[in-house]
Amino acid sequence: MIPRSLWVLLVLALSSPFWSLSHPLVEVDDARYAEIPREMAESGDWATPRLNYLDYVEKPPLWYWLGAASYKVFGVSEASARLPLALLSLAGMLGLVWLGSWAFSPQTGIMAALVLGSSGLYFFLSHYITPDLPLTVFLLWCSAMILRCLLRPADASWAAPLAWVFAALAFLSKGLVALIFPTAWAMALLILFPELRQHGKRLISPRGAALFTGIAAPWFLYMEHRHPGFLKVFFLEQHVQRFLTEKYNRNSPFYFFFLVLPAGLLPWIGPVLAGWTRVWKSRERAPLALAIWSTLIFAFFSASKSKLATYILPVFPQLSLLAAWALEKPLPVWARRLSLALGGLFLAAALAILFIKACVPGLAGLNAALAGLLLASLGIGLLRSATTSEPALALALAGFLAGGLSLFALLRNAETLSARSLAASVAERARPEDKVYSYGVYLHGLPFYARRPVDKLVNWTGELHYAKRYPENTGRFGDDNDLRALPAPGHRTFVVFRSFEAPHVISLVGAKNIKRLDVFGSWVLAEF
């Protein structure tokens, strides 16, 4: 009998991706992956992704198609930008309910969805657009189908083709890892469990391979035809070089994800570690398969020369299921002590913040109070989980409360985190013949809200290095000389730059040429 409280929490979890859909687009990725589909919907060209109206080919197109379709149906807004993300997040939690229900028990499946939905990084990426959540969800469903083939071979006739379909969708979300991860994992399982090898042959499904090719290949072939050399750029530069070299300036120490993963799993560190240690004692096939998946992906990204915190998300569903499996029994003493220690630490930090705020009037204002409340919610939840017979209830409520507070903090700090206000000023003041420049930075939300491109990117290339290679785009990029040439006759020029660069920008143009200067958080909008 599944407790009523668990059903209530499941409803809370499944609703959480839809909280605050319309909050302002946050720089950088959230705004970028909202703007690219907007330009796709506006242009009607659903083949070549564009950012700031320039070709952008770092990622495959599935997310852009989903976002553009949402805009076409619901109109352009922050809510319609995030709606596909919320639906995918929901699909991820439902995928865990399904996988956990047959691989363990229905209650474990529901518990796993709670763990996943209330873990810090998954909750955050359910509200902040990147391709990592779509990749994670499709890989989860792919791995679930592979496991179904191996553990219940009678279902391979439908599970194997579906595994290929979900792999294709993951491939269209982020590329080669969609093949590398499932293939390496399936091979590892067949090596470690010889009794499964007779079922492994069912994974080599001609129908599945045909479906994969039919879904994943056409866009790549069309892009190579339309943009000769695209395949080399996409696979060599965006995959091989990104993994093996520091070309993209995202290098971090090998231990980077040893720090990111526990932080992203909050407040579920104790149950995850309890499930992880229980795996190696029990040697049950399904939990061990989940642990192997997590280990392979963790090792892959730790070895990569390109690291971002969001990359590690594909291990979260499997670790969440291990945590739920651990919660089938009372947590070990050491796991409860760990929760006590972490809870005490977070609560002490919260009290320190609130005490300092009370002693120093005006210090950080509401932001300090929100930070204190967020830490206190995690701390109280962790402390309560260590002393109750229902630790999952305390941890899930703490996770969702912390997530809700973080969304409120984001709304309150929109001026600092989003280009919405700055873009609104541009849209209101700039005439069609006027120009918009960006110096040393590119605000991805500016075209989204202003409905016009940044005409010239000065001293900034970023992820638009592919577009910069083509002579026809030369005029869209510039250097200090472009500012020295201002003001330009016949039109006004609006220049966006970071506040700390104001003295340098003013020295290039001359203070007497500035008609108006407005500050939006850490950015400045100057009119010449």
Side-chain angles (χ1 to χ4, degrees):
M1 185 73 176
I2 299 174
R4 181 179 299 177
S5 61
L6 206 57
W7 288 113
V8 173
L9 284 173
L10 179 63
V11 172
L12 183 67
L14 298 180
S15 71
S16 63
F18 301 91
W19 299 354
S20 189
L21 278 181
S22 59
H23 67 257
L25 297 172
V26 179
E27 297 294 326
V28 176
D29 287 352
D30 192 42
R32 176 194 304 159
Y33 292 113
E35 170 59 12
I36 296 171
R38 188 197 70 81
E39 294 183 24
M40 183 175 281
E42 179 185 85
S43 69
D45 180 358
W46 291 62
T48 303
R50 292 183 178 86
L51 176 63
N52 196 38
Y53 299 83
L54 295 164
D55 292 354
Y56 176 78
V57 297
E58 284 197 2
K59 302 294 187 295
L62 182 56
W63 169 257
Y64 312 140
W65 292 341
L66 295 174
S70 181
Y71 292 146
K72 286 291 188 181
V73 174
F74 301 106
V76 177
S77 68
E78 296 102 332
S80 52
R82 293 196 179 90
L83 180 60
L85 187 74
L87 293 172
L88 284 167
S89 176
L90 179 65
M93 287 184 276
L94 291 175
L96 269 192
V97 172
W98 180 75
L99 173 58
S101 295
W102 66 262
F104 297 92
S105 70
Q107 183 165 328
T108 301
I110 293 173
M111 188 76 71
L114 298 183
V115 177
L116 182 65
S118 59
S119 61
L121 188 60
Y122 191 86
F123 183 95
F124 173 70
L125 291 180
S126 297
H127 300 84
Y128 182 88
I129 309 170
T130 74
D132 298 288
L133 188 132
L135 173 70
T136 297
V137 172
F138 292 131
L139 283 178
L140 163 63
W141 278 98
C142 175
S143 63
M145 294 302 165
I146 292 173
L147 203 58
R148 185 82 175 192
C149 288
L150 296 178
L151 299 185
R152 298 195 179 182
D155 295 332
S157 60
W158 56 266
L162 282 177
W164 284 88
V165 168
F166 287 118
L169 295 174
F171 195 89
L172 283 175
S173 297
K174 212 168 180 184
L176 280 175
V177 291
L179 281 178
I180 294 172
F181 293 161
T183 301
W185 180 60
M187 291 176 64
L189 295 182
L190 295 178
I191 291 171
L192 290 173
F193 299 113
E195 67 275 15
L196 297 181
R197 291 174 191 171
Q198 58 180 328
H199 310 317
K201 297 176 182 178
R202 298 173 180 265
L203 292 172
I204 306 173
S205 164
R207 183 167 47 141
L211 287 168
F212 179 93
T213 304
I215 294 170
W219 180 77
F220 288 93
L221 296 176
Y222 180 76
M223 284 291 287
E224 177 64 22
H225 172 74
R226 189 170 181 177
H227 305 274
F230 161 77
L231 292 178
K232 178 181 177 182
V233 170
F234 186 83
F235 290 109
L236 179 62
E237 295 184 18
Q238 296 300 324
H239 285 75
V240 178
Q241 290 182 8
R242 189 180 289 270
F243 183 84
L244 295 176
T245 73
E246 300 178 16
K247 175 181 177 179
Y248 294 91
N249 297 319
R250 291 176 179 172
N251 190 39
S252 296
F254 74 92
Y255 55 81
F256 177 74
F257 290 113
F258 284 96
L259 304 177
V260 170
L261 184 58
L265 287 169
L266 282 170
W268 296 97
I269 297 175
V272 168
L273 288 176
W276 180 264
T277 54
R278 182 182 168 189
V279 163
W280 311 109
K281 296 177 182 177
S282 71
R283 305 290 291 180
E284 294 180 34
R285 289 189 300 192
L288 190 55
L290 301 175
I292 292 168
W293 172 275
S294 305
T295 302
L296 287 173
I297 295 178
F298 186 90
F300 178 89
F301 285 123
S302 294
S304 173
K305 295 294 184 180
S306 182
K307 298 183 180 71
L308 287 179
T310 58
Y311 289 176
I312 201 62
L313 191 68
V315 307
F316 274 62
Q318 286 73 15
L319 290 179
S320 296
L321 195 44
L322 285 179
W325 177 59
L327 288 164
E328 291 177 347
K329 298 180 178 180
L331 291 176
V333 173
W334 63 263
R336 292 178 176 268
R337 288 176 178 171
L338 176 61
S339 294
L340 278 173
L342 289 173
L345 181 64
F346 284 126
L347 195 56
L351 292 173
I353 290 173
L354 297 176
F355 177 77
I356 294 171
K357 182 183 182 300
C359 294
V360 185
L363 179 65
L366 184 58
N367 283 344
L370 287 171
L373 289 173
L374 192 152
L375 290 170
S377 66
L378 290 174
I380 293 171
L382 286 161
L383 290 173
R384 178 62 180 158
S385 73
T387 57
T388 182
S389 60
E390 295 184 341
L393 176 63
L395 292 175
L397 289 174
F400 289 124
L401 179 57
L405 287 169
S406 67
L407 290 177
F408 180 74
L410 189 153
L411 283 169
R412 186 180 179 277
N413 290 278
E415 189 81 3
T416 303
L417 301 173
S418 173
R420 184 168 67 175
S421 297
L422 186 151
S425 181
V426 172
E428 179 184 355
R429 294 156 52 191
R431 300 166 301 192
E433 67 270 20
D434 293 336
K435 301 296 181 183
V436 179
Y437 287 8
S438 185
Y439 184 90
V441 67
Y442 170 62
L443 299 184
H444 297 71
L446 201 162
F448 182 91
Y449 290 112
R451 301 295 193 267
R452 60 180 295 161
V454 174
D455 299 288
K456 184 160 290 193
L457 301 167
V458 181
N459 290 349
W460 189 92
T461 301
E463 60 269 18
L464 291 173
H465 53 85
Y466 176 80
K468 192 177 181 180
R469 302 174 187 187
Y470 294 94
E472 61 267 27
N473 296 328
T474 302
R476 301 290 305 278
F477 299 89
D479 56 26
D480 283 0
N481 290 325
D482 291 278
L483 290 195
R484 293 189 180 101
L486 297 178
H491 62 79
R492 294 175 299 167
T493 303
F494 295 85
V495 182
V496 179
F497 50 91
R498 292 166 291 188
S499 55
F500 70 85
E501 291 188 296
H504 179 64
V505 172
I506 293 171
S507 71
L508 292 173
V509 184
K512 68 180 187 306
N513 293 316
I514 299 177
K515 181 178 179 181
R516 180 172 168 180
L517 203 67
D518 297 295
V519 178
F520 299 87
S522 59
W523 306 301
V524 177
L525 176 64
E527 180 183 335
F528 299 98

